[in-house]
Amino acid sequence: MQFWLTDRTYRQRLRQILTTLARHGLGWLVLELGLGRPLPFRRLKGKGRPASGPEHFRAALEDLGATFIKMGQVLSTRPDILPPDYIAEFAKLQDAAPPVDYDAIASVLEDDLGAPPDELFGTFSREPVASASIGQVHAAELPDGTSVVVKVQRPRAFDIVERDLDILRDIAHLAVQRTQWAQDYDIEGWFREFAFTLRNEFDYTVEASNAEHFAREFRDDDVLYVPRVYRSFSARRVLTLERIEGIKISDVDALDRAGIDRKQLARESARILITMVFEHGFFHADPHAGNFFVMKDQRIGLMDYGMVGFLDAYHRDALLRIMIALTAQDADRLVDEMLVMGVARDDVRRYTLRQDVQHLMRRYAHKPLKEIEARSAFQDLMNVARRHHLRMPAELVLTAKVMGMAEGVAAQLDPDFDVMSFAEPHVKRFWLHALSPPHRVDRAKETLLDLLDLTETLPRSLRRILRQSEQGSLQFNVQTEHAPEALRQIQRAANRVAFSVLTAALIVGSGLLMLAYDPAGAQWFFLVTFAAAAFLGIGLLWSVWRSGRF
C-alpha cells in the first residue's frame, strides 16, 4: 500500500510518526513493516529485537500524542498480546496536556449549547481543574447554585485523532500482510475495536448515557453513588455532571482522620465491582483509585464513565466455567473452554497447551486462596496464552483487568483483604443463578425462537439448493484467506527473476559480442547495451532495498 502517494497532510503525519519511532530506537519496526521509504536518508536500526526496550516505546507513544497514548493505555490491558514488561510500562502512560485558553473553550460551549458560559452558568471557572489531550474539566455552578463539573472537548481534537486513526488502520493492514505476529493476534480486528472505543470517547452523550445506566442499575444500592447528569447543559462535546465532594479512596491518612472503617470500605468497593461484572454485565472499565471518592455520608462516589465494559450472558457463563475449572484443577476442562470460545488457532498444539495449563495449576494447587493474588494468577494465564498465540476475547481480558484493579484498590485500604476468598461466595451465587430454572427457561426460549426461525427458512433454502443441483448450476466458491496478496507476492517474485535474467543476458551478450567483433566500429552500441544493463540492475537493487527483504 503506497501510503506516501496520498494527500500531503497524511504524508507529513506519517513521516512524523516514523521519525519519532526511529528517534526512540524503533527503526527495526519501521523496516519490518516496509515503511522505510518515507525516510530514505535516515539511519534506522536493523531488523531483529528492539534495541531500546519498553521505556523508549512508551516515550515514543507519549511524543506522538493523544491517539497513541490512548492506544498504549488500551494495550496495557492486553497481557495476552504484550509481555509483562511492556504492560507495566504502558500502564504508566498519562494523558495530560497543556490547557486550552478560555476563549477556545467558550467557543465550544457556545457552538454546542447556544450561549457563552457566562450566560449558561451562574459561575464558570476560567482555569481548568484537569486537562487532558481530548478535553479539560472546569468547575462551575448552575443558575440555581448547584455545584457541577463541566467537561469540554478541545477544538479540532476529533479531526486530529481521525487522521491518526486512518494512518494506524493502514499500518495495521500492512502489518497483517507482512508479519506473522500481526496475523496471529488479528491486529486489524483489535484496531477496529480500539477505533470504535476511542471514537465513543469523543461523543460525550455516550458517557452521559453510561452514567445514567449505572445510576439505574444501582438505584437500590445504599453504598455506590453515581453523580447526576445535567442533560440540558450537555451535548456531544460538553458534559455537565454533579460535583462530588469527598476523600480520594487512596488517601488512607485522610480516611483514618475522618474515622472511616477502611476494612469495610475495601469489602464494599470489591462488592460493587464484582456485582457490575457478574450480575449486570456492564462495568466501569477504569476503576483506579482516582475515580473513587468517599463522601461525607460514607457512600462511595464513582466518577469518569467514558470507558465501560460489556459482558454478555455467554461470556459471563464462560468466565464462570473458567473459574470453576481453575478451582477444580481441571486442565482438560479449561483447555476445552478456551477452544470453545474460539481463542485458539486451528494449528494450536492441544497437548502442549494442556501441559502448560497443568503446570500453571500445580503452581497454585496447594496455596490457600488468601495467598493467591488475582493479578498474578491472571498474568500467568496470559503468559500461557501469549506463548500459544491464543486470541483471548477482549471482554474477558478487560474483565480480568478490572478485577485486578479492584484487588489493588482493596489492598490499599486493607493489606489483609483477600479478594479471592471474598469473591468466591459471590461467584458461586451467580453460578447458581445461571443454573436456576428461570434462567434456563429464558435461555431455552431464545433457543426455541432461533429454531422456529430456522424451520421457516431452512426448507426454502434446501429447495433452492436441490433445484440448482438438479440443473447442474450449483457452484461452490472457496476463498483462501490472504490468497490474493500471496499471489501478488508470487507475481512480484517472478517479475524480479525475469528482470534479473534479462539484466544478466544483456551483460553476458554484450561481452560475447565484444569478443566476436571489433568494438571500435560499434562503440555506441556497446555503450547503450551496458547503460541499459546498468539501469536495469540499479532498478532491481532499488526494488529489493525498498521492499526491506534482503
Side-chain angles (χ1 to χ4, degrees), residues 90-107:
F90 286 2
K92 300 175 184 177
L93 284 166
Q94 298 295 321
D95 185 15
V100 177
D101 62 77
Y102 175 77
D103 292 337
I105 293 298
S107 177

Side-chain angles (χ1 to χ4, degrees), residues 260-505:
I260 305 295
D261 184 349
R262 288 195 282 118
K263 293 182 181 292
Q264 178 64 21
L265 193 59
R267 290 192 293 271
E268 290 294 349
S269 62
R271 176 191 63 81
I272 288 168
L273 289 173
I274 291 171
T275 301
M276 287 180 183
V277 171
F278 289 102
E279 187 171 336
H280 302 157
F282 182 81
F283 54 91
H284 195 293
D286 193 22
H288 60 78
N291 284 332
F292 285 93
F293 291 86
V294 182
M295 304 168 67
K296 290 182 179 179
D297 56 4
Q298 298 195 12
R299 286 186 295 176
I300 299 176
L302 184 58
M303 294 293 293
D304 193 357
Y305 298 90
M307 186 181 294
V308 297
F310 301 89
L311 203 63
D312 58 23
Y314 171 78
H315 283 106
R316 268 181 281 173
D317 290 347
L319 182 59
L320 287 167
R321 289 194 298 269
I322 286 174
M323 294 181 72
I324 288 174
L326 285 169
T327 304
Q329 301 291 305
D330 190 341
D332 286 313
R333 183 172 184 177
L334 180 57
V335 171
D336 287 340
E337 288 298 333
M338 297 173 79
L339 295 174
V340 167
M341 284 190 297
V343 300
R345 299 182 302 168
D346 294 336
D347 60 346
V348 67
R349 296 181 179 180
R350 179 190 172 90
Y351 176 75
T352 308
L353 175 61
R354 182 185 178 280
Q355 273 190 322
D356 284 351
V357 169
Q358 205 163 37
H359 292 160
L360 175 62
M361 287 181 168
R362 286 172 184 165
R363 186 181 305 172
Y364 296 99
H366 303 295
K367 288 185 177 181
L369 280 177
K370 65 180 181 180
E371 295 182 10
I372 298 177
E373 288 188 358
R375 286 173 293 182
S376 300
F378 174 68
Q379 182 62 61
D380 289 340
L381 184 61
M382 290 300 99
N383 290 339
V384 172
R386 193 175 61 258
R387 282 199 298 272
H388 293 272
H389 303 291
L390 304 184
R391 299 176 184 174
M392 299 298 291
E395 299 88 347
L396 295 184
V397 176
L398 186 58
T399 301
K401 172 234 178 185
V402 167
M403 297 302 294
M405 293 181 75
E407 181 181 52
V409 171
Q412 281 184 303
L413 297 169
D414 179 11
D416 297 326
F417 181 73
D418 177 13
V419 70
M420 296 289 283
S421 297
F422 179 80
E424 186 178 17
H426 293 275
V427 172
K428 287 182 178 178
R429 187 176 78 249
F430 296 137
W431 175 247
L432 291 174
H433 172 72
L435 295 176
S436 64
H439 182 76
R440 287 298 177 183
V441 169
D442 291 338
R443 297 290 296 273
K445 287 179 181 178
E446 296 176 4
T447 304
L448 182 60
L449 289 174
D450 292 338
L451 287 174
L452 290 174
D453 183 60
L454 183 62
T455 57
E456 182 180 348
T457 58
L458 185 60
R460 189 182 304 113
S461 300
L462 286 175
R463 191 182 302 114
R464 188 183 308 114
I465 292 173
L466 291 173
R467 187 183 302 112
Q468 291 177 349
S469 178
E470 292 172 354
Q471 295 173 352
S473 60
L474 185 63
Q475 297 180 352
F476 293 93
N477 295 323
V478 179
Q479 183 176 359
T480 304
E481 188 177 6
H482 304 304
E485 178 60 26
L487 291 174
R488 284 193 293 270
Q489 294 283 358
I490 293 172
Q491 183 65 47
R492 282 196 290 267
N495 290 341
R496 285 180 183 172
V497 171
F499 209 35
S500 303
V501 171
L502 177 59
T503 303

Side-chain angles (χ1 to χ4, degrees), residues 209-272:
S209 298
N210 292 340
E212 290 171 341
H213 185 97
F214 279 111
R216 288 192 298 271
E217 294 283 10
F218 285 92
R219 58 183 175 272
D220 297 325
D221 194 281
D222 297 330
V223 178
L224 182 66
Y225 185 81
V226 179
R228 178 183 172 185
V229 178
Y230 293 92
R231 286 281 188 174
S232 57
F233 294 90
S234 301
R236 185 179 181 85
R237 295 187 297 169
V238 181
L239 176 62
T240 302
L241 294 171
E242 176 186 1
R243 185 170 188 173
I244 292 179
E245 300 287 351
I247 304 170
K248 279 190 178 182
I249 204 168
S250 57
D251 192 347
V252 176
D253 293 335
L255 292 174
D256 289 339
R257 287 195 299 270
I260 305 295
D261 184 349
R262 288 195 282 118
K263 293 182 181 292
Q264 178 64 21
L265 193 59
R267 290 192 293 271
E268 290 294 349
S269 62
R271 176 191 63 81
I272 288 168

Side-chain angles (χ1 to χ4, degrees), residues 55 57-66 68-69 92-94:
E55 66 281 359
F57 216 134
R58 173 185 58 79
L61 295 179
E62 287 177 338
D63 287 350
L64 288 171
F68 292 83
I69 291 173
K92 300 175 184 177
L93 284 166
Q94 298 295 321

